[in-house]
Amino acid sequence: MSCRDRIPFVDLVTPHVELEQELTGIFQQALRTASFIGGSMVEEFEQEFAAFCSTAHCVAVSSGTDALRFALVASACSQAM
């Protein structure tokens, strides 16, 4: 591989073109109702994702850092039992 060969960036536009209207509608609903902060949309997501994962519960968090923190806390709690 020479320094002239370039690795292309991931195309993040094309896969979303067909979903644009649906995603825009959901985003507008979330903004209008502020339900992206512990509201009905979050509860619905948690229930649907739990079902998708064949588990009883799901907890939505605001970032990957929060997800890792929750996982570490859960791991520490389960080891203490």
Side-chain angles (χ1 to χ4, degrees), residues 6-7 14 19-21 25 31 37-38 43 47-50 57-58 66 70 72 74-75 77:
R6 295 180 184 235
I7 299 172
T14 304
L19 298 172
E20 183 176 0
Q21 287 183 336
L31 287 177
I37 302 173
E43 290 177 19
Q47 292 170 357
E48 289 182 16
F49 196 73
H57 304 285
C58 168
D66 280 348
F70 277 42
L72 290 171
S75 175
C77 289

Side-chain angles (χ1 to χ4, degrees), residues 1 3 14 16 18 20-21 26 30-31 39 47 52 57 63 67:
M1 176 186 264
C3 60
T14 304
H16 297 99
E18 66 184 48
E20 183 176 0
Q21 287 183 336
I26 292 169
L31 287 177
Q47 292 170 357
F52 174 78
H57 304 285
S63 69

Side-chain angles (χ1 to χ4, degrees), residues 1-53:
M1 176 186 264
S2 73
C3 60
R4 292 184 183 192
D5 295 333
R6 295 180 184 235
I7 299 172
F9 287 109
V10 175
D11 179 5
L12 298 176
V13 176
T14 304
H16 297 99
V17 170
E18 66 184 48
L19 298 172
E20 183 176 0
Q21 287 183 336
E22 179 183 356
L23 294 173
T24 302
I26 292 169
F27 181 68
Q28 288 174 342
Q29 180 185 357
L31 287 177
R32 287 187 191 119
T33 61
S35 61
F36 54 90
I37 302 173
S40 60
M41 291 180 82
V42 174
E43 290 177 19
E44 183 180 338
F45 167 78
E46 290 173 336
Q47 292 170 357
E48 289 182 16
F49 196 73
F52 174 78
C53 294

Side-chain angles (χ1 to χ4, degrees), residues 61-73:
V61 295
S62 63
S63 69
T65 303
D66 280 348
L68 291 170
R69 182 175 165 266
F70 277 42
L72 290 171
V73 168

